[in-house]
Amino acid sequence: MLSAGGYLPADVVSNDELARRYGLDTSDAWIQERTGIRQRHLAAPGESASSMGIKAAAQALERAGVDASEVDAVIVATATPDSSFPATAVRIQAGLGITRGFAFDLLAACTGFIYALSVADAMIRTGQCRTALVIGAETYSRILDWTDRTTCVLFGDGAGAVVLRAEEGESGILSSHIHADGRHGGILHVEGGPGSTGGTGLLRMAGREVFKHAVTKLASAVDEALAANSLAREDVTWLVPHQANIRIIDAMGRKLHLPRERVVVTVDRHANTSAASIPLALAEAVGEGRFKPGDLLLLEAIGGGLTWGATLLRW
Ligand code: ACO
């Protein structure tokens, strides 16, 4: 992984402002106590997964010192594409002026970025591409029920991107471990969609049920990733988790015996940006120069499907 970039919409909405704007019976205290969220960014009319993805990718390429013309794969994890097709990845490819290689979207809800890293890594290892842009880009504000306080306070919009390149050496992705179990699809889903109701559909979540699955499934994916590389929990330098809830993040940090300063946290400012949350966290940490060569990064996520997974990478 050469570098990471991110983009967040300009409209920063505090919990109090959100409650006012949508007439919600909630409070800043409830939201912060249960989730750690203080604010989120919301996309402006006209902003979309592709327009934000282009900006995130441009920053990632600039930081990596890679020209867009060198990219031969664009993989976008999103549950909120601009439209059914062309894929958001193809729109981003065009927006960056890339005319070669391939581009496609992948959907695994909040686990989308881990899935996309897994796919990109496998394609690089099998020689199908050399330089890949892996992007998470979401506009969940468009699929939220703004009358449902149990879900609409939890999410935000944004995009994050990383540049992967086939290179010899110690750094890079060690392995990814992805899982799905559709028996639990009903606890976190979008009601309706282009192929059923013809519309976009709205997000529904049984939060407490998702919470119950989160810590056990994330812990098992993390242990699987460490075991596959003969590494121990103590070897992890940084935890870069999906940013859904500070209580889940803290539980994972405790399991790994990592102090809070070794956990990249953005949920307080970004809320849950689904597939964009991990690359946005990576982008922020890279911007602050937090990762040093040789650091071991552990990425993990769980989301709708249910889907979950973990990636280990050497910086
Ligand atoms: N403001 C005020 N009160 C609220 C709000 C709100 N925004 N939302 C719910 N409440 C009330 C409920 O109505 C309930 O009231 P009641 O007891 O009178 O019925 C009470 O607060 C408690 O509700 P719970 O849902 O039990 O609250 P909980 O402590 O479980 O917190 C939360 C809810 C934050 C959603 C939590 O369950 C959670 O984080 N779940 C995991 C979500 C997650 O990780 N998702 C991951 C992936 S997301 C993706 O893939 C798209």
Side-chain angles (χ1 to χ4, degrees), residues 34-308:
R34 302 291 176 119
T35 70
I37 296 166
R38 289 191 281 116
Q39 60 176 47
R40 73 284 296 139
H41 293 245
L42 297 182
E47 276 192 312
S48 65
S50 71
S51 72
M52 296 192 298
I54 289 167
K55 289 178 174 149
Q59 187 182 59
L61 288 169
E62 192 199 328
R63 286 178 172 180
V66 170
D67 192 79
S69 62
E70 298 170 52
V71 173
D72 53 7
V74 182
I75 303 177
V76 175
T78 185
T80 47
D82 298 21
S83 61
S84 293
F85 61 85
T88 303
V90 179
R91 294 174 189 267
I92 293 174
Q93 185 207 35
L96 293 169
I98 303 167
T99 53
R100 68 195 192 96
F102 57 85
F104 63 90
D105 290 359
L106 170 161
L107 199 164
C110 294
T111 321
F113 186 72
I114 300 284
Y115 269 63
L117 277 186
S118 178
V119 169
D121 183 42
M123 296 186 94
I124 286 174
R125 285 178 195 277
T126 52
Q128 294 181 78
C129 57
R130 180 163 187 272
T131 305
L133 265 173
V134 181
I135 302 167
E138 302 281 17
T139 49
Y140 267 49
S141 60
R142 309 255 159 77
I143 58 164
L144 292 174
D145 176 351
W146 287 104
T147 65
D148 176 11
R149 67 177 183 172
T150 69
T151 53
C152 73
V153 302
L154 304 173
F155 296 90
D157 300 329
V162 300
V163 185
L164 298 184
R165 173 167 279 175
E167 272 176 1
E168 296 295 326
E170 297 296 302
S171 69
I173 293 176
L174 302 182
S175 63
S176 294
H177 304 267
I178 54 176
H179 295 277
D181 185 347
R183 287 175 301 173
H184 308 296
I187 64 174
L188 175 49
H189 69 289
V190 171
E191 219 168 43
S196 54
T197 57
T200 313
L202 293 176
L203 181 146
R204 304 287 175 210
M205 175 164 77
R208 202 173 277 181
E209 294 305 308
V210 177
F211 202 104
K212 277 188 216 151
H213 285 282
V215 179
T216 49
K217 287 190 163 50
L218 289 173
S220 84
V222 162
D223 285 341
E224 183 187 1
L226 290 169
N229 294 282
S230 304
L231 290 164
R233 292 178 175 194
E234 294 68 36
D235 294 320
V236 175
T237 327
W238 293 98
L239 175 64
V240 190
H242 170 50
Q243 310 280 324
N245 187 313
I246 196 66
R247 292 185 293 156
I248 298 173
I249 293 172
D250 282 343
M252 291 306 295
R254 281 195 300 275
K255 272 190 189 297
L256 291 160
H257 308 297
L258 278 174
R260 181 61 96 69
E261 58 270 22
R262 288 282 165 185
V263 182
V264 181
V265 175
T266 59
V267 68
D268 53 333
R269 288 156 293 124
H270 301 176
N272 181 348
T273 57
S274 192
S277 91
I278 292 176
L280 270 168
L282 288 171
E284 187 171 286
V286 165
E288 293 168 357
R290 295 173 81 179
F291 304 146
K292 303 289 176 240
D295 281 358
L296 184 67
L297 274 58
L298 175 60
L299 284 43
E300 41 84 337
I302 183 163
L306 289 179
T307 54
W308 67 100

